[in-house]
Amino acid sequence: MSTDRLTRFEAFGQLGRELHGEEQAGHAGTHTFIILGASGDLATKKIYPTLWWLYRDGLLPDETYFVGFARSNLTLDDIKKACLPHMKVANEEGEHLSAFFSKNSYIRGKYDDGSSFARLNTHLSSLPGGGDANRLFYLALPPTVYHHVTTNVQARCMSSKGWNRVIVEKPFGRDLQSSEDLSTHLLSLFAEDQIYRIDHYLGKEMVQNLMVLRFGNRIFGPVWNRNSVSCVTLTFKESVGTRGRGGYFDDVGIIRDVMQIHLLQMLCLVAMEKPTSTSPADVRDEKVKVLKCIAPVAVSDVVLGQYTRDPEGDGQSKLGYLDDPTVSEGSCTPTFATAVLYVQNERWDGVPFILRCGKALNERKAEVRLQFTDVPGDIFDERCQRNELVVRVQPDEAIYLKMMAKRPGVYFSPEETELDLTYGSRYKNVKLPDAYERLILDVFCGNQMQFVRSDELREAWRIFTPLLHQLEAERTHPIPYKYGSRGPKEADELVRRVGFRYEGTYKWMQPHAT
């Protein structure tokens, strides 16, 4: 076993035993994993590589088989060739990789054709376990074909005795009505506990750490409320633009792509009350309660932006959003958004939750930041800055607490510093699992904690749908900002207005850098 495989296994090996589910790590019986849309980018770049890593590290049930299904006229060798650049295969793993692909097969068919799914079912029944095997269907497909595919799966491809589970990729609709239509359709075919709406962000190490940080430490409980917290900022920044995805992104926009799903999920974990247990039902119940306390976002509490070309950029690398030929001419789709939400309950009344996300910004970063109120009774002549607790999701996973301490030396001067848990320093020999690894293993284990429930999705769309409809009806033009900048200055003005304080004197440094 290579060092990379060893560290992955050590970091992830206990997970199967710890997860909830009717089986011990889902290792009972035979399992068939069906990738619907096997020829697409999601399948070749994410799903197949993730399945390989789980198989390589012994985290899947021994009797697991993989079946790809798509419209393309491909062979299994074509699938293998497309996936290999993304699978990170070590030199000594060639035999193991061959064993993995020996459990794979591919079927060509149409998504709206019942006979194609009948052929798929015939093939599934010919595999070990036959019609009694547990079946997991991954919809690595555009939402436009969800209705046809799920209808055909339910009618023709369900296991007769094993369990059946369906993974649905975002976006889960475009607004409240389309989301409700999709949920109604899915729930007419499958039970809620068979549906896994996947948001890969919920599989990230530091997002999952929020629950342990909050509810496993006595020191944070007394200050995690409106009496001590001035504001909460949830940030998702990318340093690249839409990169040829403009055609897709132009129909979605940054609010649907990031804010309504990723950032709102993190908000729930920060704001929710302590669940009665770590069972998926109890955790998701508390998340829904938070969303029900949030009013629809007002236009006055939002700043939208769209990136423009960096005139100092080199050639094609930093073109503006509208320079992409796949983007519609004069598009009003925002690539940046800052929104202020309020959780109207006893714990958080009056505390602004600031959601910030954008593309083509000055850095790549995702984090949760709690900024605390000023220390009462200042005796240091206003030289003390506010404390902040920061959970850095990516890159360089870390938890650090900004605090004041005496500057070393003969003078009695306060200085900003930090208590720091940087994972790269504290856990040097541990390779964190990919988000998709966690989440796919969760599905095998029947653990729905990190997946979006239908009532949770309904409340999330309720918060953002009126804003989205108004922006589209009025064709609101986003504020231009330069590629590689911090975004529109109006966004900084908004967050200052609601109480966030930024002094610009502190710089976080990764400790023990070599």
Side-chain angles (χ1 to χ4, degrees):
M1 181 179 288
S2 69
T3 302
D4 183 64
R5 285 181 59 199
L6 180 64
T7 53
R8 270 186 182 274
F9 191 83
E10 289 173 341
F12 205 26
Q14 296 298 319
L15 186 57
R17 293 188 292 277
E18 295 171 356
L19 292 175
H20 301 281
E22 72 276 10
E23 302 166 0
Q24 181 66 26
H27 282 244
T30 304
H31 299 70
T32 308
F33 193 106
I34 303 100
I35 305 105
L36 299 158
S39 60
D41 277 357
L42 176 61
T44 56
K45 294 179 180 179
K46 275 293 182 185
I47 309 309
Y48 276 108
T50 298
L51 293 171
W52 153 242
W53 297 329
L54 292 173
Y55 175 86
R56 177 195 64 188
D57 294 340
L59 294 168
L60 292 179
D62 292 335
E63 291 298 308
T64 301
Y65 298 87
F66 313 95
V67 178
F69 180 89
R71 292 174 296 198
S72 304
N73 186 18
L74 300 173
T75 65
L76 186 59
D77 282 342
D78 294 326
I79 296 285
K80 182 178 180 180
K81 184 177 179 180
C83 296
L84 276 177
H86 311 285
M87 296 178 82
K88 304 174 186 175
V89 182
N91 291 334
E92 67 271 21
E93 292 172 341
E95 185 175 338
H96 211 52
L97 183 69
S98 297
F100 169 73
F101 275 107
S102 72
K103 293 195 169 191
N104 275 262
S105 53
Y106 177 78
I107 299 294
R108 182 189 181 191
K110 298 178 180 179
Y111 300 130
D112 59 353
D113 176 34
S115 62
S116 294
F117 282 83
R119 283 191 291 105
L120 172 62
N121 187 58
T122 299
H123 176 70
L124 296 175
S125 299
S126 71
L127 297 174
D132 297 342
N134 301 315
R135 293 182 180 177
L136 197 163
F137 300 88
Y138 199 115
L139 273 62
L141 295 163
T144 51
V145 298
Y146 281 178
H147 278 62
H148 290 305
V149 169
T150 51
T151 299
N152 281 314
V153 164
Q154 203 283 333
R156 296 172 174 85
C157 295
M158 300 285 274
S159 173
S160 56
K161 292 185 179 179
W163 51 250
N164 297 275
R165 293 168 186 164
V166 179
I167 301 179
V168 183
E169 275 278 351
K170 77 175 186 71
F172 314 120
R174 285 184 50 81
D175 56 14
L176 179 58
Q177 185 58 54
S178 60
S179 174
E180 284 287 88
D181 291 345
L182 177 58
S183 289
T184 299
H185 172 76
L186 290 174
L187 290 170
S188 72
L189 303 172
F190 311 102
E192 181 70 62
D193 63 6
Q194 293 177 300
I195 303 169
Y196 290 73
R197 299 173 186 85
I198 191 168
D199 173 10
H200 77 278
Y201 232 68
L202 289 177
K204 289 189 175 292
E205 178 72 23
M206 303 312 292
V207 174
Q208 295 198 341
N209 208 344
L210 283 168
M211 277 190 61
V212 178
L213 181 69
R214 284 197 59 192
F215 304 124
N217 294 290
R218 180 70 181 91
I219 58 174
F220 295 124
V223 298
W224 207 277
N225 53 52
R226 62 188 174 91
N227 297 321
S228 298
V229 177
S230 175
C231 58
V232 180
T233 304
L234 302 108
T235 301
F236 182 101
K237 299 172 71 174
E238 292 185 286
S239 58
V240 296
T242 54
R243 275 189 182 177
R245 293 176 64 242
Y248 160 78
F249 187 85
D250 203 44
D251 189 51
V252 177
I254 197 71
I255 294 176
R256 290 185 178 94
D257 194 44
V258 176
M259 186 174 285
Q260 183 271 343
I261 185 71
H262 298 333
L263 293 186
L264 206 56
Q265 285 292 321
M266 289 198 291
L267 183 153
C268 289
L269 293 170
V270 172
M272 71 183 190
E273 297 299 318
K274 187 176 185 177
T276 56
S277 76
T278 58
S279 75
D282 289 340
V283 172
R284 297 201 291 182
D285 284 347
E286 294 302 331
K287 291 165 72 177
V288 172
K289 289 178 185 177
V290 171
L291 294 174
K292 287 184 174 180
C293 293
I294 302 174
V297 187
V299 174
S300 58
D301 287 331
V302 176
V303 171
L304 304 174
Q306 187 184 86
Y307 67 89
T308 60
R309 178 179 178 272
D310 178 5
E312 299 177 0
D314 51 340
Q316 300 291 312
S317 63
K318 293 189 176 181
L319 295 176
Y321 179 70
L322 295 180
D323 296 325
D324 187 333
T326 64
V327 171
S328 57
E329 186 175 355
S331 171
C332 294
T333 299
T335 60
F336 172 97
T338 293
V340 180
L341 282 63
Y342 292 90
V343 180
Q344 297 167 345
N345 61 14
E346 184 175 1
R347 179 182 294 272
W348 297 111
D349 187 39
V351 177
F353 283 75
I354 303 163
L355 280 57
R356 299 176 61 116
C357 53
K359 294 183 177 292
L361 296 173
N362 61 324
E363 61 182 334
R364 172 178 174 261
K365 180 174 73 174
E367 68 178 23
V368 176
R369 183 178 297 261
L370 277 72
Q371 186 172 94
F372 294 91
T373 54
D374 295 317
V375 175
D378 178 30
I379 62 172
F380 296 106
D381 299 324
E382 299 182 354
R383 288 178 292 172
C384 291
Q385 309 302 331
R386 287 178 171 178
N387 298 139
E388 291 184 346
L389 177 65
V390 181
V391 179
R392 180 168 295 216
V393 177
Q394 66 181 28
D396 302 322
E397 292 90 345
I399 301 170
Y400 61 97
L401 179 65
K402 286 174 56 178
M403 55 175 286
M404 302 304 300
K406 178 187 172 296
R407 181 182 301 162
V410 297
Y411 298 103
F412 196 73
S413 302
E415 179 182 61
E416 283 183 288
T417 184
E418 69 283 319
L419 296 175
D420 195 297
L421 168 60
T422 296
Y423 271 47
S425 300
R426 177 64 177 83
Y427 303 109
K428 291 184 179 180
N429 297 319
V430 173
K431 185 173 179 64
L432 300 178
D434 178 82
Y436 275 95
E437 287 183 86
R438 296 176 186 275
L439 296 176
I440 286 178
L441 186 59
D442 277 357
V443 182
F444 273 96
C445 298
N447 179 13
Q448 290 188 304
M449 182 191 297
Q450 309 300 342
F451 296 84
V452 183
R453 203 166 64 187
S454 57
D455 54 348
E456 187 179 350
L457 185 62
R458 183 185 312 119
E459 293 299 326
W461 277 118
R462 175 191 58 79
I463 293 167
F464 282 100
T465 292
L467 171 69
L468 290 166
H469 284 180
Q470 182 175 347
L471 295 175
E472 289 166 358
E474 297 176 357
R475 284 191 54 79
T476 303
H477 287 272
I479 301 167
Y481 65 94
K482 188 176 72 172
Y483 195 123
S485 68
R486 295 187 68 249
K489 66 180 186 305
E490 288 83 352
D492 293 330
E493 294 167 0
L494 171 63
V495 300
R496 278 196 296 268
R497 189 167 70 244
V498 299
F500 179 78
R501 186 179 300 171
Y502 175 69
E503 304 295 339
T505 58
Y506 169 85
K507 297 294 183 184
W508 179 79
M509 296 193 310
Q510 186 171 342
H512 314 302
T514 56

